[in-house]
Coordinates of all heavy atoms in Angstrom, one line a residue:
M1 N 4.5 -17.7 27.6 CA 3.9 -18.0 26.3 C 4.9 -17.8 25.2 O 5.6 -16.8 25.1 CB 2.7 -17.1 26.1 CG 2.1 -17.3 24.7 SD 0.6 -16.5 24.2 CE 0.4 -15.1 25.2
S2 N 5.1 -18.8 24.4 CA 6.0 -18.9 23.3 C 5.4 -18.5 22.0 O 4.3 -18.9 21.7 CB 6.6 -20.2 23.1 OG 7.5 -20.3 22.0
T3 N 6.0 -17.6 21.2 CA 5.5 -17.2 19.9 C 6.4 -17.9 18.8 O 7.7 -17.7 18.9 CB 5.5 -15.7 19.7 OG1 4.7 -15.1 20.7 CG2 5.0 -15.3 18.4
E4 N 5.8 -18.5 17.9 CA 6.6 -19.1 16.8 C 6.7 -18.1 15.7 O 5.7 -17.5 15.3 CB 5.9 -20.4 16.3 CG 6.7 -21.1 15.3 CD 6.1 -22.4 14.8 OE1 5.1 -22.9 15.5 OE2 6.5 -23.0 13.8
Y5 N 7.9 -18.0 15.0 CA 8.1 -17.1 13.9 C 8.5 -17.9 12.7 O 9.1 -18.9 12.7 CB 9.2 -16.1 14.3 CG 8.9 -15.2 15.4 CD1 9.2 -15.4 16.7 CD2 8.2 -14.0 15.1 CE1 8.9 -14.6 17.7 CE2 7.9 -13.1 16.1 CZ 8.2 -13.4 17.4 OH 7.9 -12.5 18.4
K6 N 8.1 -17.3 11.5 CA 8.4 -17.9 10.2 C 9.0 -16.8 9.4 O 8.7 -15.6 9.5 CB 7.2 -18.4 9.5 CG 6.4 -19.5 10.2 CD 7.2 -20.8 10.1 CE 6.4 -21.9 10.8 NZ 7.1 -23.1 10.7
N7 N 10.0 -17.1 8.6 CA 10.6 -16.1 7.7 C 9.8 -16.1 6.4 O 9.4 -17.2 5.9 CB 12.0 -16.5 7.4 CG 12.9 -16.3 8.6 OD1 12.7 -15.4 9.4 ND2 13.9 -17.1 8.8
V8 N 9.6 -14.9 5.8 CA 8.9 -14.8 4.5 C 9.8 -13.9 3.6 O 10.2 -12.8 4.1 CB 7.5 -14.1 4.7 CG1 6.9 -13.9 3.4 CG2 6.7 -15.0 5.6
R9 N 10.0 -14.3 2.4 CA 10.8 -13.5 1.5 C 9.8 -12.7 0.6 O 8.9 -13.2 0.1 CB 11.6 -14.5 0.6 CG 12.4 -13.7 -0.4 CD 13.2 -14.6 -1.2 NE 14.5 -14.7 -0.6 CZ 15.5 -15.5 -0.9 NH1 15.3 -16.3 -2.0 NH2 16.6 -15.5 -0.3
L10 N 10.1 -11.4 0.5 CA 9.3 -10.5 -0.3 C 10.2 -9.8 -1.3 O 11.4 -9.5 -1.0 CB 8.7 -9.4 0.6 CG 7.7 -9.8 1.8 CD1 7.4 -8.7 2.6 CD2 6.5 -10.5 1.2
T11 N 9.6 -9.4 -2.4 CA 10.4 -8.5 -3.3 C 10.4 -7.2 -2.6 O 9.7 -6.9 -1.7 CB 9.6 -8.4 -4.7 OG1 8.4 -7.8 -4.4 CG2 9.5 -9.7 -5.3
A12 N 11.4 -6.3 -3.1 CA 11.5 -5.0 -2.6 C 10.2 -4.2 -2.8 O 9.7 -3.5 -1.9 CB 12.7 -4.3 -3.2
D13 N 9.5 -4.4 -3.9 CA 8.3 -3.7 -4.2 C 7.2 -4.1 -3.2 O 6.4 -3.3 -2.7 CB 7.8 -3.9 -5.6 CG 8.7 -3.2 -6.6 OD1 9.4 -2.2 -6.3 OD2 8.6 -3.5 -7.8
A14 N 7.1 -5.4 -3.0 CA 6.1 -6.0 -2.1 C 6.3 -5.4 -0.7 O 5.4 -5.1 0.1 CB 6.1 -7.5 -2.1
Y15 N 7.6 -5.4 -0.3 CA 7.9 -4.9 1.1 C 7.5 -3.4 1.2 O 6.9 -3.0 2.2 CB 9.4 -5.0 1.3 CG 9.9 -4.4 2.6 CD1 9.7 -5.0 3.8 CD2 10.4 -3.1 2.6 CE1 10.0 -4.4 5.0 CE2 10.8 -2.4 3.8 CZ 10.6 -3.1 5.0 OH 10.9 -2.5 6.2
E16 N 7.8 -2.6 0.2 CA 7.5 -1.2 0.2 C 6.0 -1.0 0.3 O 5.5 -0.1 1.0 CB 8.1 -0.4 -1.0 CG 9.6 -0.3 -0.9 CD 10.1 0.4 0.4 OE1 9.4 1.4 0.8 OE2 11.1 0.0 1.0
T17 N 5.2 -1.8 -0.5 CA 3.8 -1.7 -0.4 C 3.3 -2.1 1.0 O 2.4 -1.4 1.5 CB 3.1 -2.7 -1.4 OG1 3.6 -2.3 -2.8 CG2 1.6 -2.7 -1.4
L18 N 3.8 -3.1 1.6 CA 3.4 -3.5 2.9 C 3.8 -2.4 3.9 O 3.0 -2.1 4.8 CB 4.1 -4.8 3.3 CG 3.7 -5.5 4.6 CD1 2.2 -5.9 4.6 CD2 4.6 -6.7 4.9
K19 N 4.9 -1.8 3.8 CA 5.4 -0.8 4.7 C 4.5 0.5 4.6 O 4.2 1.1 5.6 CB 6.8 -0.4 4.3 CG 7.5 0.6 5.2 CD 8.9 0.8 4.8 CE 9.6 1.9 5.5 NZ 10.9 2.2 5.0
R20 N 4.0 0.8 3.4 CA 3.1 1.9 3.2 C 1.7 1.7 3.9 O 1.1 2.6 4.4 CB 2.9 2.3 1.7 CG 4.0 3.0 1.1 CD 3.6 3.6 -0.3 NE 3.1 2.6 -1.2 CZ 3.9 1.8 -2.0 NH1 5.2 2.0 -2.0 NH2 3.4 1.0 -2.8
R21 N 1.3 0.4 3.9 CA 0.0 0.0 4.5 C 0.1 -0.1 6.0 O -0.9 -0.1 6.7 CB -0.5 -1.3 3.9 CG -0.7 -1.3 2.4 CD -1.9 -0.4 1.9 NE -3.2 -0.7 2.6 CZ -4.1 -1.6 2.1 NH1 -3.9 -2.2 1.0 NH2 -5.2 -1.8 2.8
K22 N 1.3 -0.2 6.5 CA 1.5 -0.4 7.9 C 1.2 0.9 8.7 O 1.6 1.9 8.4 CB 3.0 -0.8 8.2 CG 3.3 -1.2 9.6 CD 4.8 -1.6 9.7 CE 5.2 -1.7 11.1 NZ 5.1 -0.4 11.8
R23 N 0.4 0.7 9.8 CA 0.1 1.8 10.7 C 1.2 1.9 11.7 O 1.9 1.0 12.0 CB -1.2 1.6 11.3 CG -2.4 1.5 10.3 CD -3.7 1.1 10.9 NE -4.7 1.1 9.9 CZ -5.8 0.4 10.1 NH1 -6.1 -0.3 11.2 NH2 -6.7 0.4 9.1
D24 N 1.4 3.1 12.3 CA 2.4 3.4 13.3 C 2.4 2.4 14.5 O 3.4 2.0 15.0 CB 2.4 4.8 13.9 CG 2.8 5.8 12.8 OD1 3.4 5.5 11.8 OD2 2.4 7.0 13.0
D25 N 1.2 2.0 14.9 CA 1.1 1.1 16.1 C 1.1 -0.4 15.7 O 0.8 -1.2 16.6 CB -0.2 1.5 16.8 CG -1.5 1.2 16.0 OD1 -1.4 1.2 14.8 OD2 -2.5 1.1 16.7
E26 N 1.4 -0.7 14.5 CA 1.3 -2.1 14.0 C 2.7 -2.7 13.8 O 3.6 -2.0 13.3 CB 0.6 -2.3 12.7 CG -0.9 -2.1 12.8 CD -1.6 -2.3 11.5 OE1 -1.1 -1.7 10.5 OE2 -2.6 -2.9 11.5
S27 N 2.8 -4.0 14.0 CA 4.0 -4.7 13.6 C 3.7 -5.2 12.2 O 2.6 -5.1 11.7 CB 4.2 -6.0 14.5 OG 3.2 -6.9 14.3
F28 N 4.7 -5.7 11.5 CA 4.4 -6.2 10.1 C 3.5 -7.4 10.2 O 2.6 -7.6 9.3 CB 5.7 -6.6 9.4 CG 6.4 -5.4 8.8 CD1 7.4 -4.7 9.5 CD2 6.0 -4.9 7.6 CE1 8.0 -3.6 8.9 CE2 6.6 -3.8 7.0 CZ 7.6 -3.1 7.7
S29 N 3.6 -8.2 11.2 CA 2.6 -9.3 11.4 C 1.2 -8.8 11.6 O 0.3 -9.3 11.0 CB 3.0 -10.2 12.6 OG 4.2 -10.9 12.4
D30 N 1.0 -7.7 12.3 CA -0.3 -7.1 12.5 C -0.9 -6.7 11.2 O -2.0 -6.9 10.9 CB -0.2 -5.9 13.5 CG 0.1 -6.3 14.9 OD1 -0.1 -7.5 15.3 OD2 0.6 -5.4 15.6
V31 N 0.0 -6.0 10.4 CA -0.6 -5.4 9.1 C -0.9 -6.6 8.2 O -2.0 -6.5 7.5 CB 0.4 -4.4 8.5 CG1 1.6 -5.0 7.9 CG2 -0.3 -3.6 7.4
V32 N -0.2 -7.6 8.1 CA -0.5 -8.8 7.2 C -1.8 -9.4 7.7 O -2.7 -9.6 6.9 CB 0.6 -9.8 7.2 CG1 0.2 -11.1 6.6 CG2 1.9 -9.3 6.6
E33 N -2.0 -9.6 9.0 CA -3.2 -10.2 9.5 C -4.4 -9.3 9.2 O -5.5 -9.7 8.8 CB -3.1 -10.4 11.0 CG -2.2 -11.6 11.3 CD -2.1 -11.8 12.8 OE1 -2.6 -11.0 13.6 OE2 -1.4 -12.7 13.2
R34 N -4.2 -7.9 9.3 CA -5.3 -7.0 9.0 C -5.7 -7.0 7.6 O -6.9 -7.1 7.2 CB -4.9 -5.6 9.4 CG -6.0 -4.5 9.1 CD -5.7 -3.2 9.6 NE -4.3 -2.7 9.3 CZ -4.0 -2.1 8.1 NH1 -5.0 -1.9 7.2 NH2 -2.8 -1.7 7.9
L35 N -4.7 -7.1 6.7 CA -5.0 -7.0 5.3 C -5.6 -8.3 4.7 O -6.5 -8.2 3.9 CB -3.7 -6.7 4.5 CG -3.1 -5.3 4.7 CD1 -1.7 -5.2 4.0 CD2 -4.0 -4.3 4.2
V36 N -5.2 -9.4 5.3 CA -5.9 -10.7 4.8 C -7.3 -10.8 5.3 O -8.1 -11.6 4.7 CB -5.0 -11.9 5.1 CG1 -3.7 -11.8 4.4 CG2 -4.9 -12.2 6.6
E37 N -7.6 -10.1 6.4 CA -9.0 -10.2 6.9 C -9.9 -9.2 6.2 O -11.1 -9.3 6.4 CB -9.0 -9.9 8.4 CG -8.3 -11.1 9.2 CD -8.2 -10.8 10.7 OE1 -8.6 -9.7 11.1 OE2 -7.7 -11.7 11.4
E38 N -9.4 -8.2 5.4 CA -10.3 -7.3 4.8 C -11.1 -8.0 3.8 O -10.8 -9.0 3.2 CB -9.4 -6.2 4.1 CG -8.8 -5.3 5.0 CD -8.0 -4.2 4.4 OE1 -7.9 -4.2 3.1 OE2 -7.4 -3.3 5.1
R39 N -12.3 -7.4 3.5 CA -13.3 -8.0 2.6 C -12.7 -7.9 1.2 O -12.0 -6.9 0.8 CB -14.6 -7.2 2.6 CG -15.3 -7.4 3.9 CD -16.6 -6.6 4.0 NE -17.2 -6.3 2.7 CZ -18.3 -5.5 2.6 NH1 -18.8 -4.9 3.6 NH2 -18.8 -5.3 1.4
P40 N -12.9 -8.9 0.4 CA -12.4 -8.9 -1.0 C -13.2 -7.8 -1.8 O -14.3 -7.5 -1.5 CB -12.8 -10.3 -1.6 CG -13.8 -10.8 -0.6 CD -13.6 -10.2 0.7
I41 N -12.5 -7.2 -2.7 CA -13.1 -6.1 -3.5 C -14.3 -6.6 -4.3 O -15.2 -5.8 -4.6 CB -12.0 -5.5 -4.4 CG1 -12.5 -4.2 -5.0 CG2 -11.6 -6.4 -5.6 CD1 -11.5 -3.1 -5.0
S42 N -14.3 -7.9 -4.6 CA -15.5 -8.4 -5.3 C -16.8 -8.2 -4.6 O -17.9 -8.2 -5.2 CB -15.3 -9.9 -5.7 OG -15.1 -10.6 -4.5
D43 N -16.7 -8.1 -3.3 CA -17.9 -7.8 -2.5 C -18.5 -6.5 -2.8 O -19.7 -6.2 -2.5 CB -17.6 -7.8 -1.0 CG -17.3 -9.2 -0.4 OD1 -17.5 -10.2 -1.2 OD2 -17.0 -9.3 0.8
L44 N -17.8 -5.6 -3.4 CA -18.3 -4.3 -3.8 C -18.8 -4.2 -5.2 O -19.2 -3.1 -5.6 CB -17.2 -3.2 -3.6 CG -16.6 -3.1 -2.2 CD1 -15.4 -2.2 -2.2 CD2 -17.6 -2.6 -1.2
A45 N -18.9 -5.3 -5.9 CA -19.3 -5.3 -7.3 C -20.7 -4.6 -7.4 O -21.6 -5.0 -6.6 CB -19.4 -6.7 -7.8
G46 N -20.8 -3.7 -8.3 CA -22.1 -3.0 -8.5 C -22.4 -1.9 -7.6 O -23.4 -1.2 -7.7
A47 N -21.5 -1.6 -6.6 CA -21.7 -0.5 -5.6 C -21.5 0.9 -6.2 O -22.0 1.8 -5.7 CB -20.9 -0.8 -4.4
L48 N -20.7 0.9 -7.3 CA -20.4 2.2 -7.9 C -20.9 2.3 -9.3 O -20.9 1.4 -10.0 CB -18.8 2.4 -7.9 CG -18.1 2.3 -6.6 CD1 -16.6 2.4 -6.8 CD2 -18.5 3.5 -5.7
S49 N -21.3 3.6 -9.7 CA -21.7 3.8 -11.0 C -20.5 4.0 -11.9 O -19.3 4.1 -11.4 CB -22.5 5.1 -11.1 OG -21.7 6.2 -10.9
G50 N -20.7 3.9 -13.2 CA -19.6 4.2 -14.1 C -18.9 5.5 -13.9 O -17.7 5.6 -14.0
N51 N -19.7 6.5 -13.6 CA -19.1 7.9 -13.4 C -18.3 7.8 -12.1 O -17.2 8.5 -12.1 CB -20.2 8.9 -13.2 CG -20.9 9.2 -14.6 OD1 -20.3 9.0 -15.6 ND2 -22.1 9.8 -14.5
D52 N -18.7 7.1 -11.1 CA -18.0 7.0 -9.8 C -16.6 6.4 -10.1 O -15.6 6.9 -9.6 CB -18.7 6.2 -8.8 CG -20.0 6.9 -8.3 OD1 -20.0 8.1 -8.3 OD2 -20.8 6.1 -7.8
V53 N -16.6 5.3 -10.9 CA -15.4 4.6 -11.2 C -14.4 5.5 -12.0 O -13.2 5.5 -11.6 CB -15.7 3.3 -12.0 CG1 -14.4 2.7 -12.5 CG2 -16.5 2.3 -11.1
E54 N -14.9 6.2 -12.9 CA -14.1 7.1 -13.7 C -13.5 8.2 -12.8 O -12.3 8.6 -13.0 CB -14.8 7.7 -14.9 CG -13.9 8.5 -15.8 CD -12.8 7.7 -16.4 OE1 -12.9 6.4 -16.6 OE2 -11.7 8.3 -16.7
T55 N -14.3 8.8 -11.9 CA -13.8 9.8 -11.0 C -12.7 9.3 -10.1 O -11.7 9.9 -9.9 CB -15.0 10.3 -10.1 OG1 -15.9 10.9 -11.0 CG2 -14.5 11.4 -9.1
I56 N -12.8 8.1 -9.6 CA -11.8 7.4 -8.8 C -10.6 7.2 -9.6 O -9.4 7.4 -9.2 CB -12.4 6.1 -8.2 CG1 -13.4 6.4 -7.2 CG2 -11.2 5.3 -7.6 CD1 -14.2 5.2 -6.7
R57 N -10.7 6.7 -10.8 CA -9.5 6.4 -11.7 C -8.7 7.7 -11.9 O -7.5 7.7 -11.8 CB -10.0 5.8 -13.0 CG -10.3 4.4 -13.0 CD -10.5 3.8 -14.4 NE -10.8 2.4 -14.3 CZ -11.9 1.9 -14.9 NH1 -12.7 2.6 -15.6 NH2 -12.1 0.6 -14.7
E58 N -9.5 8.8 -12.2 CA -8.8 10.0 -12.5 C -8.1 10.6 -11.3 O -6.9 11.0 -11.3 CB -9.8 11.1 -13.0 CG -10.3 10.8 -14.4 CD -11.5 11.7 -14.8 OE1 -11.9 12.5 -14.0 OE2 -12.0 11.5 -16.0
A59 N -8.7 10.4 -10.1 CA -8.1 10.9 -8.9 C -6.8 10.0 -8.5 O -5.8 10.6 -8.1 CB -9.1 10.8 -7.7
R60 N -6.9 8.7 -8.7 CA -5.8 7.9 -8.5 C -4.6 8.2 -9.4 O -3.5 8.3 -9.0 CB -6.2 6.4 -8.6 CG -7.0 5.9 -7.4 CD -7.2 4.4 -7.5 NE -6.0 3.8 -7.3 CZ -5.8 2.5 -7.3 NH1 -6.8 1.7 -7.6 NH2 -4.6 1.9 -7.1
E61 N -5.0 8.4 -10.7 CA -3.9 8.7 -11.7 C -3.2 10.0 -11.3 O -2.0 10.1 -11.3 CB -4.5 8.8 -13.1 CG -3.5 9.1 -14.1 CD -4.1 9.1 -15.5 OE1 -5.0 8.3 -15.8 OE2 -3.6 9.9 -16.3
A62 N -4.0 11.0 -10.9 CA -3.4 12.3 -10.5 C -2.5 12.1 -9.2 O -1.4 12.7 -9.1 CB -4.5 13.3 -10.2
S63 N -3.0 11.3 -8.3 CA -2.2 11.0 -7.1 C -0.9 10.3 -7.4 O 0.1 10.7 -6.9 CB -3.1 10.2 -6.1 OG -2.4 9.8 -5.0
Y64 N -1.0 9.3 -8.3 CA 0.2 8.6 -8.6 C 1.2 9.5 -9.3 O 2.4 9.5 -9.1 CB -0.1 7.4 -9.6 CG -0.8 6.3 -8.9 CD1 -1.7 5.5 -9.6 CD2 -0.6 6.0 -7.5 CE1 -2.4 4.4 -9.0 CE2 -1.3 5.0 -6.9 CZ -2.2 4.2 -7.6 OH -2.8 3.2 -7.0
E65 N 0.7 10.4 -10.2 CA 1.6 11.3 -10.9 C 2.3 12.3 -10.0 O 3.4 12.6 -10.1 CB 0.8 12.1 -12.0 CG 0.4 11.2 -13.2 CD -0.5 11.9 -14.2 OE1 -0.8 13.1 -14.0 OE2 -0.9 11.2 -15.2
A66 N 1.5 12.8 -9.0 CA 2.0 13.7 -8.0 C 3.1 13.0 -7.2 O 4.2 13.5 -6.9 CB 0.9 14.3 -7.1
Y67 N 2.8 11.7 -6.8 CA 3.8 10.9 -6.0 C 5.1 10.7 -6.8 O 6.2 10.9 -6.3 CB 3.2 9.6 -5.6 CG 4.2 8.7 -5.0 CD1 4.6 8.8 -3.7 CD2 4.7 7.6 -5.7 CE1 5.5 8.0 -3.1 CE2 5.6 6.7 -5.2 CZ 6.0 6.9 -3.8 OH 6.9 6.1 -3.3
A68 N 4.9 10.4 -8.1 CA 6.1 10.2 -9.0 C 6.9 11.5 -9.1 O 8.1 11.5 -9.1 CB 5.7 9.7 -10.3
D69 N 6.2 12.6 -9.2 CA 6.9 13.9 -9.3 C 7.7 14.2 -8.0 O 8.8 14.6 -8.1 CB 5.9 15.0 -9.6 CG 5.3 15.0 -11.0 OD1 5.9 14.3 -11.8 OD2 4.3 15.7 -11.2
R70 N 7.0 13.9 -6.9 CA 7.7 14.2 -5.6 C 9.0 13.3 -5.5 O 10.0 13.7 -5.0 CB 6.8 13.9 -4.4 CG 5.8 15.0 -4.2 CD 5.0 14.9 -2.9 NE 4.5 13.6 -2.6 CZ 3.3 13.2 -3.0 NH1 2.5 14.0 -3.7 NH2 2.8 12.0 -2.7
R71 N 8.8 12.0 -5.8 CA 9.9 11.1 -5.8 C 11.1 11.5 -6.7 O 12.2 11.5 -6.3 CB 9.5 9.6 -6.2 CG 8.5 9.0 -5.2 CD 9.2 8.2 -4.2 NE 10.1 7.2 -4.7 CZ 11.1 6.7 -4.1 NH1 11.4 7.0 -2.9 NH2 11.9 5.8 -4.7
S72 N 10.7 11.9 -7.9 CA 11.7 12.4 -8.9 C 12.4 13.6 -8.4 O 13.6 13.7 -8.5 CB 11.0 12.7 -10.2 OG 11.9 13.2 -11.1
E73 N 11.7 14.6 -7.8 CA 12.3 15.8 -7.2 C 13.2 15.4 -6.1 O 14.3 16.0 -6.0 CB 11.2 16.7 -6.8 CG 10.4 17.4 -7.9 CD 9.2 18.2 -7.4 OE1 9.1 18.3 -6.2 OE2 8.4 18.6 -8.2
G74 N 12.8 14.5 -5.3 CA 13.7 14.1 -4.1 C 14.9 13.4 -4.6 O 16.0 13.6 -4.0
L75 N 14.9 12.6 -5.7 CA 16.1 12.0 -6.2 C 17.0 13.0 -6.8 O 18.2 12.9 -6.7 CB 15.7 10.9 -7.2 CG 14.9 9.7 -6.7 CD1 14.5 8.8 -7.8 CD2 15.8 8.9 -5.7
T76 N 16.4 14.0 -7.5 CA 17.2 15.1 -8.1 C 17.9 15.9 -7.1 O 19.1 16.2 -7.2 CB 16.3 16.0 -9.0 OG1 15.6 15.2 -9.9 CG2 17.1 17.1 -9.6
D77 N 17.2 16.2 -5.9 CA 17.8 17.0 -4.9 C 19.0 16.3 -4.3 O 20.0 16.9 -3.9 CB 16.7 17.3 -3.8 CG 15.7 18.2 -4.3 OD1 15.9 18.9 -5.3 OD2 14.6 18.3 -3.6
R78 N 18.9 15.0 -4.1 CA 20.0 14.2 -3.5 C 21.2 14.1 -4.4 O 22.3 14.0 -3.9 CB 19.5 12.8 -3.2 CG 18.6 12.7 -2.0 CD 18.3 11.3 -1.7 NE 16.9 11.2 -1.2 CZ 16.1 10.2 -1.4 NH1 16.5 9.1 -2.0 NH2 14.9 10.2 -0.9
S79 N 21.0 14.2 -5.7 CA 22.2 14.0 -6.6 C 22.9 15.3 -6.8 O 24.0 15.4 -7.4 CB 21.7 13.5 -7.9 OG 20.8 14.5 -8.6
Q80 N 22.4 16.4 -6.2 CA 23.1 17.7 -6.4 C 24.0 18.0 -5.3 O 24.0 17.5 -4.2 CB 22.1 18.8 -6.5 CG 21.2 18.7 -7.7 CD 20.1 19.8 -7.8 OE1 20.0 20.6 -6.9 NE2 19.4 19.8 -8.8

């Protein structure tokens, strides 16, 4: 059985996003196929209350800030 391959050009940011979403047992083709098959977020319209949305936003913001702090610390450690 022959598999046909295509090249796809991604920005570095898009590649890193894809890499973070990739599971250990998946190829990049597998992760792309899985992600495009996921339900669109619009299917969830009305599922959350305003309080739920605000709680999620706050948690995501805290998570992003913690990630940025860890990245910043890692870059500082390497430069020493």
Side-chain angles (χ1 to χ4, degrees):
M1 175 173 23
S2 174
T3 302
E4 185 177 346
Y5 293 93
K6 300 285 184 179
N7 291 324
V8 177
R9 177 178 270 177
L10 301 172
T11 63
D13 288 342
Y15 174 81
E16 289 303 319
T17 299
L18 187 62
K19 186 176 170 184
R20 282 192 305 272
R21 299 291 305 269
K22 185 180 170 299
R23 297 172 182 160
D24 289 341
D25 63 337
E26 287 182 316
S27 67
F28 278 98
S29 291
D30 293 335
V31 71
V32 169
E33 288 177 358
R34 177 174 52 82
L35 292 174
V36 298
E37 290 176 359
E38 289 182 356
R39 290 175 32 184
I41 194 138
S42 60
D43 287 356
L44 300 174
L48 301 173
S49 72
N51 288 339
D52 292 335
V53 171
E54 188 57 31
T55 299
I56 291 168
R57 280 190 184 128
E58 290 171 359
R60 287 187 68 184
E61 184 176 322
S63 175
Y64 291 150
E65 288 174 3
Y67 172 76
D69 290 346
R70 287 192 309 273
R71 293 270 303 156
S72 177
E73 290 171 7
L75 294 174
T76 302
D77 291 342
R78 287 187 213 148
S79 65
Q80 295 178 358

